[in-house]
Amino acid sequence: MRFEIKNLFIGKSKEYKLSNRVLNSAYEKEAQNEIYVSKFGVKNDEQVDKKNHGGVDRAVCIYSQGSYDFLEEKFDIKLKECSFGENITLENCSDSDIYIGDIFSCGETLLEVSQPRVPCFVISKVTGIKNLTKTLVQECKTGFLLRTIKEGNISKSDSFNLEKRVNTKYSIEFISKCYLNPIKYEKEVLELLKIDSLAQDYKDSLKSRLERKIVGIEEFQKDVI
């Protein structure tokens, strides 16, 4: 299995004015011909909120062109490139094609799929599209994150090549469904909590949602005016 790269991105922190405060975020990014990926993230791609972004389990953020196309067609919206603040946009790919623990080689790197992304309200705020974050979550088109096994450069002409698939049951899209409704998928959630390659922070959130019987979007995913 092989996926082509459409674009590579890195971003610097900017200020965004909300109704009652100022938000700093590196959400808006610029296209690159090459990026360097380390254990802790993409070089020169700022992570303002290190609690919820970046780190060894969230070194690289990917969004698929297939999800862009799905959202544009279903909801009749127009999305700019890097609308979701990703580091890499992949062609011919969707969240249903990617499974937890998948290992990909790309350029000099070796990367492992660690979790679905958990998008926040910033997506709606920066794009100016009402309820876009809510839509991503409800449609389970969240994108996904990877940890770095081998550091190195990735160029726009490189491709993502599947080297190993250890799990054939839990795609990124299906895991997002479990996160959205852990009560409905309780059996699957309990299985997911035992998968070593699923990021610990994500497991903790998934377990908490199940125990507290939380269904649907989180407060931090609702639009902020």
Side-chain angles (χ1 to χ4, degrees), residues 108-164:
E108 299 173 346
T109 71
L110 198 62
L111 304 167
E112 181 182 34
V113 177
S114 57
Q115 67 169 85
R117 184 182 183 180
V118 183
C120 72
F121 71 91
V122 176
I123 291 173
S124 295
K125 176 63 180 177
V126 176
T127 60
I129 300 175
K130 187 176 181 180
N131 292 323
L132 182 56
T133 301
K134 177 182 177 182
T135 299
L136 296 187
V137 176
Q138 291 179 332
E139 295 293 334
C140 299
K141 304 294 184 184
T142 62
F144 56 98
L145 303 171
L146 305 98
R147 60 175 65 92
T148 306
I149 298 173
K150 180 185 176 185
E151 300 180 338
N153 290 305
I154 293 176
S155 69
K156 191 174 177 180
S157 60
D158 292 328
S159 58
F160 267 70
N161 303 292
L162 181 64
E163 300 293 338
K164 186 176 181 180

Coordinates of all heavy atoms in Angstrom, one line a residue, residues 108-164:
E108 N 13.5 9.5 4.5 CA 14.4 8.9 5.4 C 13.8 8.4 6.7 O 14.5 7.8 7.5 CB 15.5 10.0 5.8 CG 16.3 10.5 4.7 CD 17.2 11.7 5.0 OE1 17.0 12.2 6.2 OE2 18.1 12.0 4.2
T109 N 12.5 8.6 6.9 CA 11.8 8.3 8.1 C 11.1 7.0 8.2 O 10.8 6.4 7.1 CB 10.8 9.4 8.5 OG1 9.7 9.3 7.6 CG2 11.4 10.8 8.4
L110 N 10.8 6.6 9.4 CA 10.0 5.4 9.6 C 9.0 5.9 10.7 O 9.4 6.4 11.8 CB 10.8 4.2 10.1 CG 10.1 2.8 10.1 CD1 9.8 2.5 8.6 CD2 11.0 1.8 10.7
L111 N 7.7 5.8 10.4 CA 6.6 6.4 11.3 C 5.6 5.4 11.6 O 5.2 4.5 10.8 CB 6.0 7.6 10.6 CG 6.9 8.7 10.1 CD1 6.2 9.6 9.1 CD2 7.5 9.5 11.3
E112 N 5.0 5.5 12.9 CA 4.0 4.6 13.3 C 2.7 5.3 13.7 O 2.8 6.3 14.4 CB 4.5 3.8 14.6 CG 3.5 2.8 15.1 CD 4.0 2.1 16.4 OE1 4.7 2.7 17.2 OE2 3.6 0.9 16.5
V113 N 1.6 4.9 13.2 CA 0.3 5.5 13.5 C 0.0 5.2 14.9 O -0.1 4.1 15.4 CB -0.8 4.9 12.6 CG1 -2.2 5.5 12.9 CG2 -0.5 5.2 11.1
S114 N -0.2 6.4 15.7 CA -0.4 6.3 17.1 C -1.8 6.6 17.6 O -2.2 6.1 18.7 CB 0.6 7.2 17.8 OG 0.4 8.5 17.4
Q115 N -2.6 7.3 16.9 CA -3.9 7.7 17.4 C -4.7 8.5 16.3 O -4.0 9.2 15.5 CB -3.9 8.5 18.7 CG -3.3 9.9 18.5 CD -3.5 10.7 19.8 OE1 -2.7 10.6 20.7 NE2 -4.5 11.5 19.8
P116 N -6.0 8.6 16.4 CA -6.7 9.6 15.6 C -6.4 11.0 16.3 O -6.1 11.1 17.5 CB -8.2 9.2 15.9 CG -8.2 7.8 16.3 CD -6.9 7.7 17.1
R117 N -6.6 12.0 15.5 CA -6.5 13.3 16.0 C -7.8 13.6 16.8 O -8.8 13.1 16.5 CB -6.4 14.3 14.9 CG -6.1 15.8 15.3 CD -6.1 16.7 14.1 NE -5.8 18.0 14.5 CZ -5.7 19.0 13.7 NH1 -5.8 18.8 12.4 NH2 -5.5 20.3 14.1
V118 N -7.6 14.5 17.8 CA -8.8 14.9 18.6 C -8.9 16.4 18.3 O -8.3 17.3 19.0 CB -8.7 14.7 20.1 CG1 -9.9 15.1 20.8 CG2 -8.4 13.2 20.4
P119 N -9.6 16.8 17.3 CA -9.7 18.3 16.8 C -10.4 19.1 17.8 O -11.3 18.7 18.5 CB -10.4 18.2 15.5 CG -11.2 17.0 15.5 CD -10.4 16.0 16.4
C120 N -10.0 20.4 17.9 CA -10.6 21.4 18.8 C -11.2 22.5 18.0 O -11.1 22.6 16.8 CB -9.6 21.9 19.8 SG -8.4 23.1 19.1
F121 N -11.9 23.4 18.7 CA -12.6 24.5 18.1 C -11.8 25.4 17.2 O -12.3 26.2 16.4 CB -13.3 25.4 19.2 CG -12.3 26.2 20.0 CD1 -11.9 27.5 19.6 CD2 -11.6 25.7 21.1 CE1 -11.0 28.3 20.3 CE2 -10.7 26.5 21.8 CZ -10.4 27.7 21.4
V122 N -10.5 25.4 17.4 CA -9.6 26.3 16.6 C -9.8 26.1 15.1 O -9.7 27.1 14.3 CB -8.1 26.1 16.9 CG1 -7.2 26.9 16.1 CG2 -7.9 26.4 18.4
I123 N -10.1 24.9 14.7 CA -10.4 24.6 13.2 C -11.5 25.5 12.7 O -11.4 26.2 11.7 CB -10.7 23.1 13.0 CG1 -9.4 22.3 13.2 CG2 -11.2 22.9 11.6 CD1 -9.6 20.8 13.2
S124 N -12.6 25.5 13.5 CA -13.8 26.4 13.1 C -13.4 27.8 13.1 O -13.8 28.6 12.2 CB -14.9 26.1 14.0 OG -15.4 24.8 13.8
K125 N -12.6 28.2 14.2 CA -12.3 29.6 14.3 C -11.4 30.2 13.2 O -11.7 31.2 12.6 CB -11.6 29.8 15.7 CG -11.1 31.2 15.9 CD -12.2 32.2 16.0 CE -11.7 33.6 16.3 NZ -12.8 34.6 16.3
V126 N -10.4 29.4 12.8 CA -9.4 29.9 11.8 C -10.0 29.8 10.4 O -9.8 30.7 9.6 CB -8.1 29.1 11.9 CG1 -7.2 29.5 10.8 CG2 -7.5 29.3 13.3
T127 N -10.8 28.8 10.1 CA -11.3 28.6 8.8 C -12.6 29.5 8.6 O -12.9 29.9 7.5 CB -11.8 27.2 8.5 OG1 -12.8 26.8 9.5 CG2 -10.6 26.2 8.5
G128 N -13.2 29.9 9.7 CA -14.4 30.7 9.6 C -15.6 29.9 9.2 O -16.7 30.5 8.8
I129 N -15.5 28.6 9.2 CA -16.7 27.8 8.9 C -17.3 27.2 10.1 O -16.8 26.5 10.9 CB -16.2 26.6 8.0 CG1 -15.5 27.1 6.7 CG2 -17.4 25.7 7.7 CD1 -14.9 26.0 5.9
K130 N -18.6 27.7 10.3 CA -19.3 27.4 11.6 C -19.5 25.8 11.7 O -19.8 25.2 10.7 CB -20.7 28.0 11.5 CG -21.4 27.9 12.8 CD -22.8 28.7 12.7 CE -23.5 28.5 14.1 NZ -24.8 29.3 14.0
N131 N -19.2 25.4 12.9 CA -19.4 24.0 13.3 C -18.5 23.0 12.5 O -18.8 21.8 12.4 CB -20.9 23.6 13.1 CG -21.8 24.2 14.1 OD1 -21.4 24.5 15.3 ND2 -22.9 24.6 13.7
L132 N -17.4 23.5 11.9 CA -16.5 22.6 11.1 C -15.9 21.5 12.0 O -15.8 20.4 11.7 CB -15.5 23.4 10.4 CG -14.5 22.5 9.5 CD1 -15.3 21.7 8.5 CD2 -13.5 23.4 8.8
T133 N -15.4 21.9 13.2 CA -14.8 21.0 14.1 C -15.9 19.9 14.5 O -15.6 18.7 14.5 CB -14.3 21.7 15.4 OG1 -13.3 22.7 15.0 CG2 -13.7 20.7 16.3
K134 N -17.0 20.4 14.9 CA -18.1 19.4 15.2 C -18.4 18.5 14.1 O -18.6 17.3 14.3 CB -19.4 20.2 15.5 CG -20.6 19.4 15.9 CD -21.8 20.3 16.1 CE -23.1 19.5 16.4 NZ -24.3 20.4 16.6
T135 N -18.4 19.0 12.9 CA -18.6 18.1 11.7 C -17.6 17.1 11.5 O -17.9 15.9 11.3 CB -18.7 19.0 10.4 OG1 -19.8 19.9 10.6 CG2 -18.9 18.1 9.2
L136 N -16.3 17.4 11.7 CA -15.2 16.5 11.6 C -15.4 15.3 12.6 O -15.2 14.2 12.2 CB -13.8 17.2 11.9 CG -13.3 18.3 11.0 CD1 -11.9 18.6 11.5 CD2 -13.3 17.9 9.6
V137 N -15.7 15.7 13.8 CA -15.8 14.7 14.9 C -17.0 13.8 14.6 O -16.9 12.5 14.7 CB -16.0 15.4 16.2 CG1 -16.2 14.3 17.3 CG2 -14.7 16.2 16.5
Q138 N -18.1 14.4 14.2 CA -19.3 13.5 14.0 C -19.2 12.7 12.8 O -19.8 11.6 12.7 CB -20.6 14.5 13.9 CG -20.9 15.1 15.2 CD -22.1 16.1 15.1 OE1 -22.4 16.6 14.1 NE2 -22.8 16.2 16.2
E139 N -18.5 13.1 11.8 CA -18.3 12.3 10.6 C -17.1 11.4 10.7 O -16.8 10.6 9.8 CB -18.1 13.2 9.4 CG -19.3 14.0 9.0 CD -20.5 13.2 8.5 OE1 -20.3 12.1 8.0 OE2 -21.7 13.6 8.7
C140 N -16.3 11.5 11.8 CA -15.2 10.7 12.1 C -14.1 10.8 11.0 O -13.5 9.9 10.6 CB -15.5 9.2 12.2 SG -16.7 8.9 13.6
K141 N -13.9 12.1 10.6 CA -12.9 12.5 9.6 C -11.9 13.3 10.3 O -11.6 14.5 10.0 CB -13.5 13.2 8.4 CG -14.6 12.4 7.7 CD -14.1 11.2 7.0 CE -15.2 10.5 6.2 NZ -14.7 9.2 5.6
T142 N -11.2 12.8 11.3 CA -10.4 13.6 12.2 C -9.0 13.8 11.8 O -8.3 14.7 12.2 CB -10.3 12.9 13.6 OG1 -9.7 11.6 13.5 CG2 -11.7 12.8 14.2
G143 N -8.5 12.9 10.9 CA -7.1 12.9 10.6 C -6.4 12.0 11.7 O -7.1 11.5 12.6
F144 N -5.1 11.9 11.6 CA -4.4 11.0 12.5 C -3.0 11.5 12.8 O -2.4 12.3 12.1 CB -4.4 9.5 12.0 CG -3.8 9.4 10.6 CD1 -2.5 9.0 10.5 CD2 -4.5 9.6 9.5 CE1 -1.9 8.8 9.2 CE2 -4.0 9.4 8.2 CZ -2.7 9.0 8.1
L145 N -2.4 10.9 13.9 CA -1.1 11.3 14.4 C -0.2 10.1 14.3 O -0.6 8.9 14.4 CB -1.2 11.9 15.8 CG -2.2 13.1 15.9 CD1 -2.4 13.4 17.4 CD2 -1.6 14.3 15.2
L146 N 1.1 10.4 14.3 CA 2.2 9.4 14.2 C 3.3 9.7 15.1 O 3.6 10.8 15.4 CB 2.7 9.2 12.8 CG 1.7 9.0 11.6 CD1 1.4 10.3 11.0 CD2 2.3 8.0 10.6
R147 N 3.9 8.6 15.6 CA 5.2 8.7 16.4 C 6.3 8.3 15.4 O 6.2 7.6 14.4 CB 5.2 7.8 17.6 CG 5.0 6.4 17.3 CD 5.1 5.5 18.6 NE 4.1 5.8 19.6 CZ 2.9 5.2 19.6 NH1 2.7 4.2 18.8 NH2 2.0 5.5 20.5
T148 N 7.5 8.9 15.7 CA 8.7 8.7 14.9 C 9.6 7.5 15.4 O 10.0 7.5 16.5 CB 9.6 10.0 14.8 OG1 8.7 11.1 14.5 CG2 10.7 9.8 13.9
I149 N 9.7 6.5 14.5 CA 10.6 5.4 14.8 C 12.0 5.7 14.4 O 13.0 5.5 15.1 CB 10.1 4.1 14.2 CG1 8.7 3.7 14.7 CG2 11.1 3.0 14.4 CD1 8.1 2.6 14.0
K150 N 12.1 6.3 13.2 CA 13.4 6.8 12.6 C 13.3 8.2 12.1 O 12.4 8.5 11.3 CB 13.8 5.8 11.5 CG 15.2 6.2 10.8 CD 15.4 5.3 9.6 CE 16.7 5.8 8.9 NZ 17.0 5.0 7.7
E151 N 14.2 9.1 12.6 CA 14.1 10.5 12.3 C 14.7 10.7 10.9 O 15.5 9.8 10.4 CB 14.9 11.3 13.3 CG 14.4 11.2 14.7 CD 15.2 12.1 15.6 OE1 16.4 12.4 15.3 OE2 14.7 12.4 16.7
G152 N 14.4 11.8 10.2 CA 14.9 12.1 8.9 C 14.1 13.1 8.2 O 13.1 13.7 8.6
N153 N 14.5 13.3 6.9 CA 13.9 14.3 6.0 C 12.8 13.6 5.2 O 12.9 12.4 4.8 CB 14.9 14.9 5.1 CG 15.8 15.8 5.7 OD1 15.4 16.8 6.4 ND2 17.1 15.6 5.6
I154 N 11.7 14.3 5.0 CA 10.7 13.9 4.0 C 10.5 15.0 3.0 O 10.4 16.2 3.4 CB 9.3 13.7 4.8 CG1 9.4 12.6 5.7 CG2 8.2 13.5 3.8 CD1 8.1 12.4 6.6
S155 N 10.5 14.7 1.7 CA 10.3 15.7 0.7 C 9.0 15.4 0.0 O 8.4 14.4 0.1 CB 11.4 15.6 -0.4 OG 11.3 14.4 -1.1
K156 N 8.5 16.5 -0.7 CA 7.2 16.4 -1.3 C 7.1 15.3 -2.3 O 6.0 14.8 -2.6 CB 6.9 17.8 -1.9 CG 5.4 18.0 -2.3 CD 5.2 19.4 -2.8 CE 3.8 19.5 -3.3 NZ 3.5 20.9 -3.8
S157 N 8.2 14.9 -2.9 CA 8.2 13.9 -3.9 C 8.2 12.5 -3.4 O 8.1 11.5 -4.1 CB 9.4 14.1 -4.9 OG 10.6 14.0 -4.1
D158 N 8.4 12.4 -2.0 CA 8.4 11.0 -1.4 C 6.9 10.5 -1.3 O 6.0 11.2 -1.5 CB 9.0 11.1 0.0 CG 10.5 11.4 0.0 OD1 11.1 11.0 -1.0 OD2 11.0 12.1 0.9
S159 N 6.8 9.2 -1.0 CA 5.5 8.6 -0.8 C 5.5 7.8 0.5 O 6.5 7.5 1.1 CB 5.2 7.6 -1.9 OG 6.2 6.6 -2.1
F160 N 4.3 7.6 1.1 CA 4.1 6.8 2.3 C 3.9 5.4 1.9 O 3.0 5.0 1.2 CB 2.9 7.3 3.0 CG 3.2 8.3 4.1 CD1 3.6 9.6 3.7 CD2 3.1 8.0 5.4 CE1 4.0 10.5 4.7 CE2 3.5 8.9 6.4 CZ 3.9 10.2 6.1
N161 N 4.8 4.5 2.3 CA 4.8 3.1 1.9 C 4.5 2.3 3.2 O 5.3 2.3 4.2 CB 6.1 2.7 1.3 CG 6.5 3.5 0.1 OD1 5.8 3.5 -0.9 ND2 7.5 4.4 0.3
L162 N 3.5 1.5 3.1 CA 3.1 0.6 4.3 C 4.1 -0.5 4.4 O 4.3 -1.3 3.5 CB 1.7 0.1 4.1 CG 1.2 -0.8 5.3 CD1 1.1 0.0 6.6 CD2 -0.1 -1.5 5.0
E163 N 4.9 -0.5 5.5 CA 5.9 -1.5 5.8 C 5.4 -2.7 6.6 O 5.8 -3.8 6.5 CB 7.1 -0.9 6.5 CG 7.8 0.2 5.7 CD 8.4 -0.3 4.4 OE1 8.7 -1.5 4.3 OE2 8.6 0.5 3.5
K164 N 4.4 -2.3 7.5 CA 3.9 -3.4 8.5 C 2.5 -3.0 8.9 O 2.3 -1.8 9.3 CB 4.9 -3.5 9.6 CG 4.5 -4.7 10.6 CD 5.6 -4.8 11.7 CE 5.3 -6.0 12.6 NZ 6.3 -6.1 13.7

